[in-house]
Amino acid sequence: MPLTPDQVQLIKATVPILRQYGQEITTRFYKDLLADHPALHDIFNQANQANGHQASALANSLYAYASHINDLGVLAPAVERISQKHSSLHVQPEQYDIVGTYLLKAMKDVLGDALTEDIHTAWAVAYRQLADIMIGREKQLHQEKGDWTSWRDFIITNKVIESDEITSFYLKPNDGKPLPKYHPGQYVSIRTSVPALKHLQPRQYSLSDAPNPSNYRISVKRELGLNLNLNHPSAPAHPGYVSNVLHDSKQVGDTLQVSHPAGDFFLDPSRGDRNPIVLISAGVGLTPMLSIMRTLDKADSHQPICWIHGTRSSRVHAFSNEIKEIAKQHPNVRTKVFMSHPAEEDALGRDYQYASRMTLGVLNKDEDLFLHKSDAEYYICGPGGFMHDMQGTLSGYGVEEARIKMEVFGTGAIRA
């Protein structure tokens, strides 16, 4: 049932209310939902629950949805990103009904009589509208994956330390069936038990190799601590739940549950190899870029490629030798490394080109950034602030939004 014009106006009228009370509503929502449906702990990232990021993301999404209720096309990229993530987590259509019930209940609990019957009805219809869009898209994504419709057991066949922070895990399906090809840049969800939480926890990790029908590779950074949300100072500090379980407890021969590849951040090799590609990464953001680079390497691509990476030192720069070797073998590939805190053994010109945090302004505008090419594409992955800065710089150089692609992990909120 579509929203009536009057209901659209009621939704728009709640924008100021959501700006003021959105966080309180979503915090109440998650508390009640997970208390009554503890099985959903297996879907929701408990670190993001503890630090308030999940509640903030949902509050921002509600605010954005209400703000753009007349033009939902503006939200299409964010809705696609969330649908991809939901598909990888195997979210079921009936779970949307549960979420809707508890979301409306939380709105009523927080807003009281201000949430009139008419506003309540309008939001019920609006939620159903958004849920149906996501359910429909997620159904399409599941159909594209064929018979891979649930979590699948994979065995760890190899575990390789790549740097002081990053370790790679080679994963092979227990059933021995060939793996579907994925687009370089996409991720899988893995799910494993976390003793500290006493239930399963899922996380998304980029596939860090070219597609291979027999195994997948993920490369995981050990997260040393939870970044506390200032709005939730009581959130307990702890090392990253899943990354530390993987680094410390999971060994060759152990089993992980894995979802099918997903994600809207990828390079499509079928488009040809003429347009220039710029990969911009920081820290563990290099993992999807490595998949892209290795795929292009295997295809013997001749398109101009420049990989610009930011790291602290060579001790935490994973895959540096592999990247250098690819560049050495392909004259069309350039690499630039910004190193903010070079170690004593790091050499300028060999291990890095710039002893600083990444600043695109010092690079050659044509040879490194291909700004003179109107078909150049830019792929960015790293911390949120880093990606925002890089996007802003490229936009300032006149690069259109459609040519800038970013991988957004974490909660992936819809932004107003």
Side-chain angles (χ1 to χ4, degrees):
M1 181 174 64
L3 286 162
T4 67
D6 287 344
Q7 288 174 331
V8 168
Q9 292 306 311
L10 286 172
I11 295 294
K12 291 181 71 68
T14 62
V15 168
I17 298 173
L18 292 174
R19 184 188 298 118
Q20 182 174 355
Y21 295 103
Q23 180 83 20
E24 186 178 350
I25 290 169
T26 55
T27 299
R28 173 72 68 90
F29 157 74
Y30 281 115
K31 179 182 177 182
D32 293 347
L33 174 71
L34 293 173
D36 292 348
H37 296 272
L40 292 178
H41 280 291
D42 292 353
I43 292 177
F44 291 111
N45 181 322
Q46 293 308 294
N48 287 333
Q49 291 294 321
N51 62 23
H53 290 174
Q54 191 79 59
S56 294
L58 180 56
N60 288 336
S61 296
L62 292 174
Y63 176 77
Y65 182 51
S67 299
H68 297 288
I69 196 69
N70 283 327
D71 185 15
L72 294 182
V74 173
L75 305 180
V79 170
E80 173 67 14
R81 185 179 305 121
I82 294 172
S83 294
Q84 290 276 352
K85 185 171 182 179
H86 285 182
S87 173
S88 84
L89 292 171
H90 300 292
V91 171
Q92 300 302 306
E94 60 269 19
Q95 291 171 331
Y96 279 93
D97 294 333
I98 298 172
V99 166
T101 297
Y102 279 81
L103 182 59
L104 290 169
K105 177 181 179 298
M107 294 177 74
K108 185 63 177 179
D109 290 344
V110 172
L111 301 178
D113 292 342
L115 188 75
T116 66
E117 184 176 346
D118 287 344
I119 296 175
H120 184 281
T121 300
W123 263 106
V125 175
Y127 173 81
R128 188 71 257 169
Q129 174 180 272
L130 182 59
D132 286 344
I133 291 171
M134 290 187 171
I135 290 170
R137 177 57 181 147
E138 288 155 30
K139 181 179 180 181
Q140 290 178 334
L141 292 171
H142 282 302
Q143 290 172 341
E144 292 171 6
K145 305 305 178 184
D147 60 356
W148 191 346
T149 58
S150 62
W151 294 97
R152 190 171 168 187
D153 286 341
F154 278 61
I155 189 170
I156 300 173
T157 59
N158 199 8
K159 181 178 178 180
V160 179
I161 297 174
E162 310 288 3
S163 75
D164 285 359
E165 295 180 338
I166 296 175
T167 293
S168 289
F169 298 82
Y170 290 76
L171 308 173
K172 185 175 182 178
N174 282 5
D175 57 23
K177 295 180 180 179
L179 295 171
K181 194 170 183 179
Y182 57 86
H183 292 306
Q186 290 189 303
Y187 58 80
V188 291
S189 290
I190 67 99
R191 192 169 69 166
T192 188
S193 61
V194 176
L197 298 175
K198 296 181 173 57
H199 51 71
L200 297 170
Q201 275 287 273
R203 293 292 186 275
Q204 287 73 47
Y205 295 109
S206 295
L207 292 154
S208 60
D209 204 351
N212 183 319
S214 63
N215 67 75
Y216 288 155
R217 182 178 74 177
I218 59 172
S219 301
V220 179
K221 177 187 175 185
R222 180 194 293 273
E223 298 295 347
L224 296 179
L226 172 68
N227 294 322
L228 297 181
N229 188 317
L230 294 179
N231 294 324
H232 293 75
S234 62
H238 60 80
Y241 286 125
V242 175
S243 68
N244 281 270
V245 167
L246 293 175
H247 277 252
D248 296 336
S249 303
K250 296 300 180 181
Q251 307 299 334
V252 172
D254 289 342
T255 299
L256 295 172
Q257 292 183 322
V258 181
S259 75
H260 54 71
D264 62 342
F265 176 88
F266 59 81
L267 179 141
D268 185 356
S270 67
R271 293 183 54 188
D273 64 351
R274 295 185 178 181
N275 62 304
I277 299 294
V278 181
L279 309 176
I280 304 174
S281 58
V284 75
L286 59 74
T287 53
M289 308 306 192
L290 186 61
S291 178
I292 292 173
M293 181 67 85
R294 286 186 59 82
T295 301
L296 294 174
D297 175 38
K298 287 182 67 174
D300 196 25
S301 170
H302 292 84
Q303 64 200 113
I305 303 167
C306 186
W307 187 349
I308 307 162
H309 182 64
T311 186
R312 297 196 309 277
S313 73
S314 62
R315 296 172 185 172
V316 296
H317 187 187
F319 306 104
S320 60
N321 290 333
E322 183 174 337
I323 297 164
K324 290 175 187 175
E325 187 61 28
I326 292 175
K328 181 179 178 180
Q329 294 177 3
H330 297 274
N332 57 307
V333 175
R334 301 169 62 85
T335 62
K336 298 291 181 179
V337 176
F338 288 78
M339 197 168 282
S340 60
H341 296 86
E344 185 176 342
E345 64 269 21
D346 293 332
L348 179 65
R350 183 193 68 194
D351 300 302
Y352 64 96
Q353 284 71 48
Y354 303 96
S356 68
R357 295 173 66 86
M358 189 181 296
T359 305
L360 297 184
V362 303
L363 298 171
N364 187 293
K365 301 297 188 294
D366 293 339
E367 295 180 3
D368 297 329
L369 297 176
F370 308 126
L371 293 176
H372 62 303
K373 297 289 188 179
S374 61
D375 60 346
E377 293 183 345
Y378 302 82
Y379 296 79
I380 309 174
C381 187
F386 165 83
M387 292 195 293
H388 177 78
D389 290 344
M390 296 302 108
Q391 180 189 38
T393 299
L394 291 173
S395 297
Y397 289 151
V399 178
E400 300 90 346
E401 183 178 350
R403 292 195 285 136
I404 303 174
K405 308 176 190 303
M406 297 193 294
E407 178 58 290
V408 180
F409 288 122
T411 51
I414 296 176
R415 298 292 178 181

